[in-house]
Amino acid sequence: MSSIETKSRVFSGVRANARPHVGNYLGAIKGMVELQDKFDCIFSVVDLHTVLVPYDPKTLQQSIRDVVLDYLGAGLDPKKCHITIQSHLAAEHLELAYYLGCVYPVSRIEDLPTYKEKKAQYPDYINVGLLYYPILMAADILLYNAELVPIGIDNEPHLEVAREMARKFNGMYGTKLVEPKRYATTGGSVPSLVGEGKMSKSKGGTIILTDSLEEIKAVLAKAVTDSGQGDKFPETGPAANLVTFVELFEGHDKAQQYRSMYKESGIRYGDLKAELAEAIYKELQPIQEKRKYFEEHPEEVDKILADGKEYAQKIARETLEEVRQKMGLV
Ligand code: TYM
């Protein structure tokens, strides 16, 4: 049984609603891989967050497993970090979430962009659980006193909630819950290829981590384009989005070439997409190979998850013990 590390702690999680895409990878998972060398890291598949919106119970276990395999494929190393399934620690995560929810105003949650988005997306499914999304997320992080959280920019408002909750709770009960900060990842906001805003599981047009070169080409073929030419390189829209992808996968110089090309000869999107597809595949191929190894060794994966649970539970129980005492519950 490993003892609790004294290094600063990191926590992050990915939901299992759909297969992780390159937005999740660049916005979160790659950051997790970067941090595992220096910090005491716990990375979770947050399946209690998955069931807050409509989902298919029949495929949930496979979806959870797919996220774990993507984590391992992307380079999370069980010798350097701990991987957990949130529901394996449901008692701990939900207990803290309940206490935090007791001190936090409903109106603040209703104001959050994600709550409004989810309400718009599932108008017939506006359940109490949805209000618990940010509360449970705060509990996930505060339970482990994590200082750093590698997540996309879209999640910054949730982190602000977690900080507010920690302050309020500490002020009321004299606990020492740590206020977490976002670790800025390389692709904090990977754009959508098919519309406005960021790439998202619900909008489609996503490149998932197991896509073949042909599948990547097919997604890029459908990516929206413009005329490819103009006086000024646009800050938003199809050209900006595709060139952001170039920047993320082929580097700054290549992206600058396209920005100049836009103002001169014009961008030929067929060429851009062909090169970009190759570059994305080059990044994903080693992930797919490593993932395949773990897919073929399920017993190793089960052991990793059992160890992760055991480690995380020790920390979670210590936090809860202190919280219950300070709240006068014991
Ligand atoms: P999820 O599964 O929706 O997203 C997982 C991570 O991917 C990031 N992300 C992106 N980053 C850049 N560009 C994009 N297009 C893009 N799309 C998604 C998200 O910011 C996120 O970091 N709320 C979390 C789940 C969660 C969590 C936690 C995270 C629950 N509890 C505790 C950290 C700590 C989420 O959005 O999952």
Side-chain angles (χ1 to χ4, degrees), residues 11-16 21 23-24 26-28 46 49 86 133 136-137 140-141 149-155 158 187-191 198-201:
F11 183 91
S12 192
V14 172
R15 293 179 302 145
H21 52 65
N24 303 130
L26 294 176
V46 285
H49 279 91
Q86 189 190 28
Y133 187 118
L136 182 57
M137 178 163 165
D140 296 341
I141 301 166
V149 185
I151 37 173
I153 292 169
D154 61 331
N155 264 285
H158 290 148
S189 188
V190 175
K198 63 166 186 119
M199 178 176 276
S200 137
K201 292 169 185 172

PDB file of all heavy atoms in Angstrom, residues 11-16 21 23-24 26-28 46 49 86 133 136-137 140-141 149-155 158 187-191 198-201, ligand 1:
ATOM      1  N   PHE A  11      -5.434  17.495  -9.647  1.00  0.00           N
ATOM      2  CA  PHE A  11      -6.588  16.634  -9.952  1.00  0.00           C
ATOM      3  C   PHE A  11      -7.199  17.100 -11.272  1.00  0.00           C
ATOM      4  O   PHE A  11      -7.248  18.307 -11.546  1.00  0.00           O
ATOM      5  CB  PHE A  11      -7.670  16.739  -8.852  1.00  0.00           C
ATOM      6  CG  PHE A  11      -8.842  15.819  -9.107  1.00  0.00           C
ATOM      7  CD1 PHE A  11      -8.862  14.528  -8.593  1.00  0.00           C
ATOM      8  CD2 PHE A  11      -9.909  16.225  -9.910  1.00  0.00           C
ATOM      9  CE1 PHE A  11      -9.926  13.667  -8.857  1.00  0.00           C
ATOM     10  CE2 PHE A  11     -10.977  15.369 -10.187  1.00  0.00           C
ATOM     11  CZ  PHE A  11     -10.992  14.085  -9.642  1.00  0.00           C
ATOM     12  N   SER A  12      -7.632  16.163 -12.082  1.00  0.00           N
ATOM     13  CA  SER A  12      -8.452  16.542 -13.229  1.00  0.00           C
ATOM     14  C   SER A  12      -9.325  15.359 -13.638  1.00  0.00           C
ATOM     15  O   SER A  12      -9.096  14.235 -13.189  1.00  0.00           O
ATOM     16  CB  SER A  12      -7.590  17.016 -14.414  1.00  0.00           C
ATOM     17  OG  SER A  12      -8.426  17.627 -15.383  1.00  0.00           O
ATOM     18  N   GLY A  13     -10.307  15.646 -14.481  1.00  0.00           N
ATOM     19  CA  GLY A  13     -11.211  14.580 -14.897  1.00  0.00           C
ATOM     20  C   GLY A  13     -11.807  14.833 -16.271  1.00  0.00           C
ATOM     21  O   GLY A  13     -11.887  15.968 -16.734  1.00  0.00           O
ATOM     22  N   VAL A  14     -12.166  13.737 -16.908  1.00  0.00           N
ATOM     23  CA  VAL A  14     -12.860  13.810 -18.210  1.00  0.00           C
ATOM     24  C   VAL A  14     -14.137  12.991 -18.054  1.00  0.00           C
ATOM     25  O   VAL A  14     -14.127  11.914 -17.439  1.00  0.00           O
ATOM     26  CB  VAL A  14     -11.958  13.249 -19.345  1.00  0.00           C
ATOM     27  CG1 VAL A  14     -12.725  13.140 -20.656  1.00  0.00           C
ATOM     28  CG2 VAL A  14     -10.708  14.117 -19.528  1.00  0.00           C
ATOM     29  N   ARG A  15     -15.240  13.488 -18.608  1.00  0.00           N
ATOM     30  CA  ARG A  15     -16.507  12.763 -18.533  1.00  0.00           C
ATOM     31  C   ARG A  15     -16.499  11.615 -19.558  1.00  0.00           C
ATOM     32  O   ARG A  15     -15.667  11.595 -20.452  1.00  0.00           O
ATOM     33  CB  ARG A  15     -17.679  13.712 -18.824  1.00  0.00           C
ATOM     34  CG  ARG A  15     -17.856  14.778 -17.739  1.00  0.00           C
ATOM     35  CD  ARG A  15     -19.000  15.705 -18.054  1.00  0.00           C
ATOM     36  NE  ARG A  15     -18.811  16.363 -19.335  1.00  0.00           N
ATOM     37  CZ  ARG A  15     -19.789  16.659 -20.180  1.00  0.00           C
ATOM     38  NH1 ARG A  15     -21.033  16.360 -19.882  1.00  0.00           N
ATOM     39  NH2 ARG A  15     -19.539  17.272 -21.315  1.00  0.00           N
ATOM     40  N   ALA A  16     -17.467  10.707 -19.416  1.00  0.00           N
ATOM     41  CA  ALA A  16     -17.516   9.577 -20.348  1.00  0.00           C
ATOM     42  C   ALA A  16     -18.754   9.662 -21.244  1.00  0.00           C
ATOM     43  O   ALA A  16     -19.292   8.643 -21.650  1.00  0.00           O
ATOM     44  CB  ALA A  16     -17.503   8.272 -19.551  1.00  0.00           C
ATOM     45  N   HIS A  21     -11.986  13.744 -27.537  1.00  0.00           N
ATOM     46  CA  HIS A  21     -11.542  14.266 -28.840  1.00  0.00           C
ATOM     47  C   HIS A  21     -10.269  15.087 -28.664  1.00  0.00           C
ATOM     48  O   HIS A  21      -9.778  15.251 -27.532  1.00  0.00           O
ATOM     49  CB  HIS A  21     -12.668  15.082 -29.495  1.00  0.00           C
ATOM     50  CG  HIS A  21     -13.262  16.149 -28.617  1.00  0.00           C
ATOM     51  ND1 HIS A  21     -12.544  17.236 -28.178  1.00  0.00           N
ATOM     52  CD2 HIS A  21     -14.507  16.281 -28.091  1.00  0.00           C
ATOM     53  CE1 HIS A  21     -13.318  17.998 -27.439  1.00  0.00           C
ATOM     54  NE2 HIS A  21     -14.524  17.439 -27.346  1.00  0.00           N
ATOM     55  N   GLY A  23      -9.811  18.139 -28.670  1.00  0.00           N
ATOM     56  CA  GLY A  23     -10.014  19.278 -27.764  1.00  0.00           C
ATOM     57  C   GLY A  23      -9.763  18.854 -26.325  1.00  0.00           C
ATOM     58  O   GLY A  23      -9.041  19.513 -25.579  1.00  0.00           O
ATOM     59  N   ASN A  24     -10.320  17.706 -25.941  1.00  0.00           N
ATOM     60  CA  ASN A  24     -10.092  17.172 -24.585  1.00  0.00           C
ATOM     61  C   ASN A  24      -8.604  16.852 -24.402  1.00  0.00           C
ATOM     62  O   ASN A  24      -8.045  17.051 -23.324  1.00  0.00           O
ATOM     63  CB  ASN A  24     -10.895  15.882 -24.349  1.00  0.00           C
ATOM     64  CG  ASN A  24     -12.380  16.048 -24.553  1.00  0.00           C
ATOM     65  OD1 ASN A  24     -13.006  15.275 -25.267  1.00  0.00           O
ATOM     66  ND2 ASN A  24     -12.975  17.070 -23.955  1.00  0.00           N
ATOM     67  N   LEU A  26      -5.852  18.208 -26.059  1.00  0.00           N
ATOM     68  CA  LEU A  26      -4.964  19.378 -25.943  1.00  0.00           C
ATOM     69  C   LEU A  26      -5.362  20.276 -24.772  1.00  0.00           C
ATOM     70  O   LEU A  26      -4.522  20.948 -24.185  1.00  0.00           O
ATOM     71  CB  LEU A  26      -4.972  20.186 -27.247  1.00  0.00           C
ATOM     72  CG  LEU A  26      -4.380  19.470 -28.463  1.00  0.00           C
ATOM     73  CD1 LEU A  26      -4.524  20.333 -29.707  1.00  0.00           C
ATOM     74  CD2 LEU A  26      -2.922  19.105 -28.260  1.00  0.00           C
ATOM     75  N   GLY A  27      -6.663  20.293 -24.466  1.00  0.00           N
ATOM     76  CA  GLY A  27      -7.131  21.175 -23.396  1.00  0.00           C
ATOM     77  C   GLY A  27      -6.918  20.601 -22.004  1.00  0.00           C
ATOM     78  O   GLY A  27      -6.849  21.351 -21.034  1.00  0.00           O
ATOM     79  N   ALA A  28      -6.825  19.286 -21.897  1.00  0.00           N
ATOM     80  CA  ALA A  28      -6.737  18.692 -20.562  1.00  0.00           C
ATOM     81  C   ALA A  28      -5.717  17.555 -20.469  1.00  0.00           C
ATOM     82  O   ALA A  28      -4.775  17.621 -19.695  1.00  0.00           O
ATOM     83  CB  ALA A  28      -8.122  18.194 -20.134  1.00  0.00           C
ATOM     84  N   VAL A  46     -14.821  10.985 -14.759  1.00  0.00           N
ATOM     85  CA  VAL A  46     -15.871  11.513 -13.881  1.00  0.00           C
ATOM     86  C   VAL A  46     -17.252  11.055 -14.377  1.00  0.00           C
ATOM     87  O   VAL A  46     -17.998  11.791 -15.005  1.00  0.00           O
ATOM     88  CB  VAL A  46     -15.739  13.054 -13.714  1.00  0.00           C
ATOM     89  CG1 VAL A  46     -14.580  13.384 -12.792  1.00  0.00           C
ATOM     90  CG2 VAL A  46     -15.537  13.766 -15.033  1.00  0.00           C
ATOM     91  N   HIS A  49     -20.531  12.702 -13.268  1.00  0.00           N
ATOM     92  CA  HIS A  49     -20.882  13.854 -14.099  1.00  0.00           C
ATOM     93  C   HIS A  49     -21.520  13.415 -15.414  1.00  0.00           C
ATOM     94  O   HIS A  49     -22.260  14.169 -16.032  1.00  0.00           O
ATOM     95  CB  HIS A  49     -19.642  14.712 -14.410  1.00  0.00           C
ATOM     96  CG  HIS A  49     -19.271  15.643 -13.305  1.00  0.00           C
ATOM     97  ND1 HIS A  49     -18.390  15.307 -12.302  1.00  0.00           N
ATOM     98  CD2 HIS A  49     -19.682  16.905 -13.031  1.00  0.00           C
ATOM     99  CE1 HIS A  49     -18.271  16.320 -11.472  1.00  0.00           C
ATOM    100  NE2 HIS A  49     -19.046  17.298 -11.876  1.00  0.00           N
ATOM    101  N   GLN A  86     -14.575   7.991 -10.814  1.00  0.00           N
ATOM    102  CA  GLN A  86     -15.243   8.801  -9.779  1.00  0.00           C
ATOM    103  C   GLN A  86     -16.286   7.980  -9.001  1.00  0.00           C
ATOM    104  O   GLN A  86     -16.377   8.072  -7.779  1.00  0.00           O
ATOM    105  CB  GLN A  86     -15.882  10.009 -10.468  1.00  0.00           C
ATOM    106  CG  GLN A  86     -16.455  11.086  -9.591  1.00  0.00           C
ATOM    107  CD  GLN A  86     -17.252  12.051 -10.461  1.00  0.00           C
ATOM    108  OE1 GLN A  86     -17.786  11.663 -11.508  1.00  0.00           O
ATOM    109  NE2 GLN A  86     -17.325  13.304 -10.047  1.00  0.00           N
ATOM    110  N   TYR A 133     -23.725  19.876 -11.010  1.00  0.00           N
ATOM    111  CA  TYR A 133     -22.518  19.726 -11.844  1.00  0.00           C
ATOM    112  C   TYR A 133     -21.323  20.472 -11.232  1.00  0.00           C
ATOM    113  O   TYR A 133     -20.296  19.867 -10.898  1.00  0.00           O
ATOM    114  CB  TYR A 133     -22.821  20.177 -13.282  1.00  0.00           C
ATOM    115  CG  TYR A 133     -21.692  19.918 -14.264  1.00  0.00           C
ATOM    116  CD1 TYR A 133     -21.863  19.079 -15.354  1.00  0.00           C
ATOM    117  CD2 TYR A 133     -20.429  20.500 -14.103  1.00  0.00           C
ATOM    118  CE1 TYR A 133     -20.836  18.828 -16.247  1.00  0.00           C
ATOM    119  CE2 TYR A 133     -19.387  20.247 -14.989  1.00  0.00           C
ATOM    120  CZ  TYR A 133     -19.598  19.425 -16.057  1.00  0.00           C
ATOM    121  OH  TYR A 133     -18.577  19.172 -16.933  1.00  0.00           O
ATOM    122  N   LEU A 136     -20.351  19.246  -7.559  1.00  0.00           N
ATOM    123  CA  LEU A 136     -19.635  17.965  -7.562  1.00  0.00           C
ATOM    124  C   LEU A 136     -18.219  18.157  -8.101  1.00  0.00           C
ATOM    125  O   LEU A 136     -17.264  17.560  -7.590  1.00  0.00           O
ATOM    126  CB  LEU A 136     -20.425  16.954  -8.414  1.00  0.00           C
ATOM    127  CG  LEU A 136     -19.876  15.539  -8.518  1.00  0.00           C
ATOM    128  CD1 LEU A 136     -19.705  14.895  -7.152  1.00  0.00           C
ATOM    129  CD2 LEU A 136     -20.802  14.682  -9.382  1.00  0.00           C
ATOM    130  N   MET A 137     -18.091  19.012  -9.102  1.00  0.00           N
ATOM    131  CA  MET A 137     -16.745  19.262  -9.647  1.00  0.00           C
ATOM    132  C   MET A 137     -15.851  19.902  -8.580  1.00  0.00           C
ATOM    133  O   MET A 137     -14.684  19.526  -8.427  1.00  0.00           O
ATOM    134  CB  MET A 137     -16.842  20.165 -10.884  1.00  0.00           C
ATOM    135  CG  MET A 137     -15.487  20.487 -11.459  1.00  0.00           C
ATOM    136  SD  MET A 137     -15.596  21.106 -13.142  1.00  0.00           S
ATOM    137  CE  MET A 137     -13.935  21.785 -13.294  1.00  0.00           C
ATOM    138  N   ASP A 140     -14.846  17.216  -6.241  1.00  0.00           N
ATOM    139  CA  ASP A 140     -13.799  16.353  -6.828  1.00  0.00           C
ATOM    140  C   ASP A 140     -12.417  16.911  -6.522  1.00  0.00           C
ATOM    141  O   ASP A 140     -11.485  16.183  -6.211  1.00  0.00           O
ATOM    142  CB  ASP A 140     -13.914  16.306  -8.367  1.00  0.00           C
ATOM    143  CG  ASP A 140     -15.201  15.689  -8.865  1.00  0.00           C
ATOM    144  OD1 ASP A 140     -15.860  14.978  -8.091  1.00  0.00           O
ATOM    145  OD2 ASP A 140     -15.557  15.943 -10.048  1.00  0.00           O
ATOM    146  N   ILE A 141     -12.306  18.232  -6.642  1.00  0.00           N
ATOM    147  CA  ILE A 141     -10.997  18.878  -6.523  1.00  0.00           C
ATOM    148  C   ILE A 141     -10.642  19.115  -5.045  1.00  0.00           C
ATOM    149  O   ILE A 141      -9.543  18.802  -4.597  1.00  0.00           O
ATOM    150  CB  ILE A 141     -11.015  20.224  -7.293  1.00  0.00           C
ATOM    151  CG1 ILE A 141     -11.337  19.973  -8.771  1.00  0.00           C
ATOM    152  CG2 ILE A 141      -9.687  20.958  -7.142  1.00  0.00           C
ATOM    153  CD1 ILE A 141     -11.722  21.222  -9.550  1.00  0.00           C
ATOM    154  N   VAL A 149      -5.184  22.325 -11.560  1.00  0.00           N
ATOM    155  CA  VAL A 149      -6.166  21.545 -12.310  1.00  0.00           C
ATOM    156  C   VAL A 149      -5.942  21.798 -13.809  1.00  0.00           C
ATOM    157  O   VAL A 149      -6.218  22.893 -14.298  1.00  0.00           O
ATOM    158  CB  VAL A 149      -7.610  21.964 -11.912  1.00  0.00           C
ATOM    159  CG1 VAL A 149      -8.640  21.066 -12.590  1.00  0.00           C
ATOM    160  CG2 VAL A 149      -7.795  21.941 -10.406  1.00  0.00           C
ATOM    161  N   PRO A 150      -5.409  20.807 -14.532  1.00  0.00           N
ATOM    162  CA  PRO A 150      -5.264  20.998 -15.973  1.00  0.00           C
ATOM    163  C   PRO A 150      -6.621  20.823 -16.665  1.00  0.00           C
ATOM    164  O   PRO A 150      -7.126  19.705 -16.765  1.00  0.00           O
ATOM    165  CB  PRO A 150      -4.271  19.894 -16.390  1.00  0.00           C
ATOM    166  CG  PRO A 150      -4.344  18.853 -15.312  1.00  0.00           C
ATOM    167  CD  PRO A 150      -4.882  19.503 -14.072  1.00  0.00           C
ATOM    168  N   ILE A 151      -7.182  21.917 -17.137  1.00  0.00           N
ATOM    169  CA  ILE A 151      -8.499  21.890 -17.803  1.00  0.00           C
ATOM    170  C   ILE A 151      -8.550  22.979 -18.867  1.00  0.00           C
ATOM    171  O   ILE A 151      -7.762  23.924 -18.835  1.00  0.00           O
ATOM    172  CB  ILE A 151      -9.697  22.138 -16.837  1.00  0.00           C
ATOM    173  CG1 ILE A 151      -9.340  23.179 -15.778  1.00  0.00           C
ATOM    174  CG2 ILE A 151     -10.246  20.881 -16.253  1.00  0.00           C
ATOM    175  CD1 ILE A 151     -10.503  23.593 -14.922  1.00  0.00           C
ATOM    176  N   GLY A 152      -9.515  22.852 -19.769  1.00  0.00           N
ATOM    177  CA  GLY A 152      -9.701  23.856 -20.813  1.00  0.00           C
ATOM    178  C   GLY A 152     -10.242  25.165 -20.231  1.00  0.00           C
ATOM    179  O   GLY A 152     -10.755  25.196 -19.104  1.00  0.00           O
ATOM    180  N   ILE A 153     -10.126  26.226 -21.037  1.00  0.00           N
ATOM    181  CA  ILE A 153     -10.563  27.560 -20.595  1.00  0.00           C
ATOM    182  C   ILE A 153     -12.063  27.563 -20.255  1.00  0.00           C
ATOM    183  O   ILE A 153     -12.507  28.255 -19.349  1.00  0.00           O
ATOM    184  CB  ILE A 153     -10.261  28.601 -21.709  1.00  0.00           C
ATOM    185  CG1 ILE A 153      -8.738  28.765 -21.833  1.00  0.00           C
ATOM    186  CG2 ILE A 153     -10.916  29.958 -21.430  1.00  0.00           C
ATOM    187  CD1 ILE A 153      -8.289  29.559 -23.047  1.00  0.00           C
ATOM    188  N   ASP A 154     -12.829  26.727 -20.977  1.00  0.00           N
ATOM    189  CA  ASP A 154     -14.284  26.680 -20.743  1.00  0.00           C
ATOM    190  C   ASP A 154     -14.622  26.324 -19.294  1.00  0.00           C
ATOM    191  O   ASP A 154     -15.713  26.617 -18.817  1.00  0.00           O
ATOM    192  CB  ASP A 154     -14.942  25.668 -21.707  1.00  0.00           C
ATOM    193  CG  ASP A 154     -14.408  24.250 -21.522  1.00  0.00           C
ATOM    194  OD1 ASP A 154     -13.244  24.088 -21.118  1.00  0.00           O
ATOM    195  OD2 ASP A 154     -15.175  23.307 -21.773  1.00  0.00           O
ATOM    196  N   ASN A 155     -13.683  25.676 -18.615  1.00  0.00           N
ATOM    197  CA  ASN A 155     -13.955  25.240 -17.245  1.00  0.00           C
ATOM    198  C   ASN A 155     -13.521  26.237 -16.177  1.00  0.00           C
ATOM    199  O   ASN A 155     -13.691  25.984 -14.988  1.00  0.00           O
ATOM    200  CB  ASN A 155     -13.271  23.894 -16.996  1.00  0.00           C
ATOM    201  CG  ASN A 155     -14.229  22.739 -17.212  1.00  0.00           C
ATOM    202  OD1 ASN A 155     -15.085  22.482 -16.378  1.00  0.00           O
ATOM    203  ND2 ASN A 155     -14.118  22.064 -18.344  1.00  0.00           N
ATOM    204  N   HIS A 158     -16.039  27.189 -13.531  1.00  0.00           N
ATOM    205  CA  HIS A 158     -16.247  26.142 -12.521  1.00  0.00           C
ATOM    206  C   HIS A 158     -15.167  26.179 -11.453  1.00  0.00           C
ATOM    207  O   HIS A 158     -15.421  25.916 -10.276  1.00  0.00           O
ATOM    208  CB  HIS A 158     -16.231  24.751 -13.166  1.00  0.00           C
ATOM    209  CG  HIS A 158     -17.426  24.494 -14.008  1.00  0.00           C
ATOM    210  ND1 HIS A 158     -17.403  23.703 -15.129  1.00  0.00           N
ATOM    211  CD2 HIS A 158     -18.695  24.936 -13.902  1.00  0.00           C
ATOM    212  CE1 HIS A 158     -18.601  23.663 -15.665  1.00  0.00           C
ATOM    213  NE2 HIS A 158     -19.403  24.415 -14.942  1.00  0.00           N
ATOM    214  N   GLY A 187      -3.559  23.758 -25.593  1.00  0.00           N
ATOM    215  CA  GLY A 187      -4.756  24.001 -26.416  1.00  0.00           C
ATOM    216  C   GLY A 187      -5.937  24.279 -25.518  1.00  0.00           C
ATOM    217  O   GLY A 187      -6.897  23.514 -25.499  1.00  0.00           O
ATOM    218  N   GLY A 188      -5.902  25.383 -24.803  1.00  0.00           N
ATOM    219  CA  GLY A 188      -6.944  25.707 -23.835  1.00  0.00           C
ATOM    220  C   GLY A 188      -8.327  25.850 -24.451  1.00  0.00           C
ATOM    221  O   GLY A 188      -9.340  25.634 -23.796  1.00  0.00           O
ATOM    222  N   SER A 189      -8.357  26.203 -25.744  1.00  0.00           N
ATOM    223  CA  SER A 189      -9.652  26.261 -26.426  1.00  0.00           C
ATOM    224  C   SER A 189      -9.478  25.847 -27.885  1.00  0.00           C
ATOM    225  O   SER A 189      -9.174  26.662 -28.751  1.00  0.00           O
ATOM    226  CB  SER A 189     -10.234  27.668 -26.329  1.00  0.00           C
ATOM    227  OG  SER A 189     -11.542  27.640 -26.827  1.00  0.00           O
ATOM    228  N   VAL A 190      -9.648  24.559 -28.132  1.00  0.00           N
ATOM    229  CA  VAL A 190      -9.520  24.026 -29.496  1.00  0.00           C
ATOM    230  C   VAL A 190     -10.831  24.323 -30.224  1.00  0.00           C
ATOM    231  O   VAL A 190     -11.902  23.930 -29.759  1.00  0.00           O
ATOM    232  CB  VAL A 190      -9.232  22.505 -29.459  1.00  0.00           C
ATOM    233  CG1 VAL A 190      -9.216  21.915 -30.852  1.00  0.00           C
ATOM    234  CG2 VAL A 190      -7.907  22.245 -28.737  1.00  0.00           C
ATOM    235  N   PRO A 191     -10.760  25.029 -31.356  1.00  0.00           N
ATOM    236  CA  PRO A 191     -11.998  25.482 -31.986  1.00  0.00           C
ATOM    237  C   PRO A 191     -12.806  24.357 -32.639  1.00  0.00           C
ATOM    238  O   PRO A 191     -12.276  23.289 -32.925  1.00  0.00           O
ATOM    239  CB  PRO A 191     -11.512  26.467 -33.052  1.00  0.00           C
ATOM    240  CG  PRO A 191     -10.098  26.141 -33.303  1.00  0.00           C
ATOM    241  CD  PRO A 191      -9.557  25.486 -32.077  1.00  0.00           C
ATOM    242  N   LYS A 198     -15.974  26.359 -29.413  1.00  0.00           N
ATOM    243  CA  LYS A 198     -14.956  25.312 -29.259  1.00  0.00           C
ATOM    244  C   LYS A 198     -15.450  23.957 -29.782  1.00  0.00           C
ATOM    245  O   LYS A 198     -16.662  23.724 -29.876  1.00  0.00           O
ATOM    246  CB  LYS A 198     -14.568  25.204 -27.791  1.00  0.00           C
ATOM    247  CG  LYS A 198     -15.734  24.792 -26.935  1.00  0.00           C
ATOM    248  CD  LYS A 198     -15.349  24.351 -25.549  1.00  0.00           C
ATOM    249  CE  LYS A 198     -16.559  23.834 -24.827  1.00  0.00           C
ATOM    250  NZ  LYS A 198     -16.594  22.502 -24.371  1.00  0.00           N
ATOM    251  N   MET A 199     -14.490  23.086 -30.080  1.00  0.00           N
ATOM    252  CA  MET A 199     -14.851  21.718 -30.462  1.00  0.00           C
ATOM    253  C   MET A 199     -15.579  21.085 -29.283  1.00  0.00           C
ATOM    254  O   MET A 199     -15.133  21.208 -28.143  1.00  0.00           O
ATOM    255  CB  MET A 199     -13.584  20.908 -30.789  1.00  0.00           C
ATOM    256  CG  MET A 199     -13.873  19.482 -31.144  1.00  0.00           C
ATOM    257  SD  MET A 199     -12.397  18.540 -31.643  1.00  0.00           S
ATOM    258  CE  MET A 199     -12.251  18.971 -33.353  1.00  0.00           C
ATOM    259  N   SER A 200     -16.706  20.435 -29.560  1.00  0.00           N
ATOM    260  CA  SER A 200     -17.481  19.907 -28.447  1.00  0.00           C
ATOM    261  C   SER A 200     -18.131  18.575 -28.819  1.00  0.00           C
ATOM    262  O   SER A 200     -18.513  18.346 -29.967  1.00  0.00           O
ATOM    263  CB  SER A 200     -18.516  20.963 -28.053  1.00  0.00           C
ATOM    264  OG  SER A 200     -19.754  20.379 -27.814  1.00  0.00           O
ATOM    265  N   LYS A 201     -18.190  17.705 -27.781  1.00  0.00           N
ATOM    266  CA  LYS A 201     -18.745  16.367 -27.982  1.00  0.00           C
ATOM    267  C   LYS A 201     -20.162  16.433 -28.550  1.00  0.00           C
ATOM    268  O   LYS A 201     -20.587  15.576 -29.301  1.00  0.00           O
ATOM    269  CB  LYS A 201     -18.775  15.616 -26.642  1.00  0.00           C
ATOM    270  CG  LYS A 201     -17.401  15.278 -26.094  1.00  0.00           C
ATOM    271  CD  LYS A 201     -17.468  14.774 -24.648  1.00  0.00           C
ATOM    272  CE  LYS A 201     -16.061  14.576 -24.093  1.00  0.00           C
ATOM    273  NZ  LYS A 201     -16.024  14.275 -22.660  1.00  0.00           N
TER     274      LYS A 201
HETATM  275  P1  TYM B   1     -15.395  17.185 -20.290  1.00  0.00           P
HETATM  276  O1  TYM B   1     -15.283  15.706 -20.435  1.00  0.00           O
HETATM  277  O2  TYM B   1     -16.535  17.865 -20.917  1.00  0.00           O
HETATM  278  O3  TYM B   1     -14.067  17.863 -20.819  1.00  0.00           O
HETATM  279  C1  TYM B   1     -12.825  17.323 -20.415  1.00  0.00           C
HETATM  280  C2  TYM B   1     -11.736  18.367 -20.529  1.00  0.00           C
HETATM  281  O4  TYM B   1     -11.575  18.779 -21.883  1.00  0.00           O
HETATM  282  C3  TYM B   1     -11.581  20.196 -21.958  1.00  0.00           C
HETATM  283  N1  TYM B   1     -12.143  20.582 -23.265  1.00  0.00           N
HETATM  284  C4  TYM B   1     -11.503  21.368 -24.130  1.00  0.00           C
HETATM  285  N2  TYM B   1     -10.321  21.983 -24.055  1.00  0.00           N
HETATM  286  C5  TYM B   1      -9.931  22.707 -25.132  1.00  0.00           C
HETATM  287  N3  TYM B   1     -10.685  22.833 -26.252  1.00  0.00           N
HETATM  288  C6  TYM B   1     -11.882  22.229 -26.372  1.00  0.00           C
HETATM  289  N4  TYM B   1     -12.574  22.323 -27.481  1.00  0.00           N
HETATM  290  C7  TYM B   1     -12.343  21.462 -25.268  1.00  0.00           C
HETATM  291  N5  TYM B   1     -13.476  20.738 -25.033  1.00  0.00           N
HETATM  292  C8  TYM B   1     -13.334  20.214 -23.785  1.00  0.00           C
HETATM  293  C9  TYM B   1     -12.446  20.653 -20.793  1.00  0.00           C
HETATM  294  O5  TYM B   1     -12.138  21.978 -20.423  1.00  0.00           O
HETATM  295  C10 TYM B   1     -12.049  19.659 -19.731  1.00  0.00           C
HETATM  296  O6  TYM B   1     -10.865  20.069 -19.076  1.00  0.00           O
HETATM  297  N6  TYM B   1     -16.117  19.798 -16.094  1.00  0.00           N
HETATM  298  C11 TYM B   1     -15.203  18.800 -16.678  1.00  0.00           C
HETATM  299  C12 TYM B   1     -15.277  17.483 -15.966  1.00  0.00           C
HETATM  300  C13 TYM B   1     -14.897  17.514 -14.521  1.00  0.00           C
HETATM  301  C14 TYM B   1     -13.656  17.918 -13.958  1.00  0.00           C
HETATM  302  C15 TYM B   1     -13.788  17.712 -12.557  1.00  0.00           C
HETATM  303  C16 TYM B   1     -12.485  18.453 -14.496  1.00  0.00           C
HETATM  304  C17 TYM B   1     -15.685  17.099 -13.492  1.00  0.00           C
HETATM  305  N7  TYM B   1     -15.022  17.205 -12.321  1.00  0.00           N
HETATM  306  C18 TYM B   1     -12.744  18.047 -11.678  1.00  0.00           C
HETATM  307  C19 TYM B   1     -11.442  18.777 -13.604  1.00  0.00           C
HETATM  308  C20 TYM B   1     -11.568  18.564 -12.230  1.00  0.00           C
HETATM  309  C21 TYM B   1     -15.478  18.703 -18.161  1.00  0.00           C
HETATM  310  O7  TYM B   1     -15.776  19.700 -18.786  1.00  0.00           O
HETATM  311  O8  TYM B   1     -15.351  17.471 -18.728  1.00  0.00           O
END
